[in-house]
Amino acid sequence: GMDFPEGVKQLGFVTASKAQKYEIDAEQKKASVTGSVARFTPVGLTGATTSVKTIVYRQTTEGWWMKAIDGTYTEPGSKPADLAPGEKWIDVNLTRKTLVALEGDKPIFGALISPGKKSPNKDKDHSTIQGTFRIREKHIAVTMDGDGKLASDLPYSIEDVPYVQYFEGSYALHAAFWHNNFGHEMSHGCVNLSPLDAKRVFFWSEPHLPRGWHAVWATGENRGTIVVVHE
């Protein structure tokens, strides 16, 4: 992920393993390759798009164009109705596979996520819950496990999952060190982030974790940051 550059409202993320940088001619009829770009590269977007032979491109703040099918981009939904002016909140877009940390209307940080795996088969559906929530508790690390009650699942237990922020039941934002496939559905319902991105959001959000503490719970006086999860 990356912090939003000053004045930039949208970030793009390369998810393709072999992506290119493009230059579009003045008539917008030809796209030429000007270089390669690594997978997971974050970049600011100007908001400008164009199509060349039905292929969509998005303009980066660096001047080159990103082929739309090579990545994704941030697209937060409406801010919560009861949000105080300048209050922190987190937008999770399940369609774009992105997370944006905001303060009021201002985006602060954006990252790729891996949400829960969807399936038309009810026994295999691990869709991430949607709605508006608040962070309930935060842990530097916890053991996450499941007993495999569904016929399709095997029991699992992962020790020391880092930077865990529970927002509804067992649903949480947390780091995933066991895969590197961010931008795709991977989880049993939680919102997976890379360890560095999870750490960034963890120490930015409320309730604040006092120095030396391992966990903290939100209270009526010290409420957790709002988390909005939507498609």
Side-chain angles (χ1 to χ4, degrees), residues 173-186:
L173 308 170
H174 65 77
F177 55 77
W178 50 92
H179 76 78
N180 191 28
N181 200 28
F182 302 101
H184 299 276
E185 295 176 358
M186 291 293 294

Side-chain angles (χ1 to χ4, degrees), residues 25 62 67 77 97-98 113 128:
D25 68 347
E62 297 174 4
K67 189 184 288 187
K97 312 293 190 294
T98 57
I113 63 160
T128 299

Side-chain angles (χ1 to χ4, degrees), residues 77-88:
S78 301
K79 66 180 180 181
D82 60 344
L83 194 76
E87 183 181 355
K88 294 178 179 180

Side-chain angles (χ1 to χ4, degrees), residues 50-140:
T50 190
S51 295
V52 178
K53 298 178 181 178
T54 73
I55 297 174
V56 176
Y57 296 85
R58 301 184 187 281
Q59 187 182 43
T60 72
T61 55
E62 297 174 4
W64 55 275
W65 294 76
M66 183 175 96
K67 189 184 288 187
I69 59 173
D70 283 347
T72 187
Y73 57 93
T74 58
E75 190 176 33
S78 301
K79 66 180 180 181
D82 60 344
L83 194 76
E87 183 181 355
K88 294 178 179 180
W89 63 289
I90 295 168
D91 179 277
V92 175
N93 188 320
L94 301 177
T95 302
R96 301 289 171 220
K97 312 293 190 294
T98 57
L99 174 150
V100 180
L102 304 100
E103 295 178 3
D105 293 318
K106 183 179 181 180
I108 303 299
F109 176 79
L112 282 171
I113 63 160
S114 287
K117 290 183 178 179
K118 294 180 183 176
S119 173
N121 182 337
K122 187 178 178 181
D123 287 342
K124 296 182 179 180
D125 185 35
H126 297 297
S127 297
T128 299
I129 193 170
Q130 296 183 51
T132 300
F133 316 95
R134 280 187 181 271
I135 293 171
R136 180 184 75 239
E137 56 187 275
K138 297 166 63 171
H139 301 260
I140 289 291

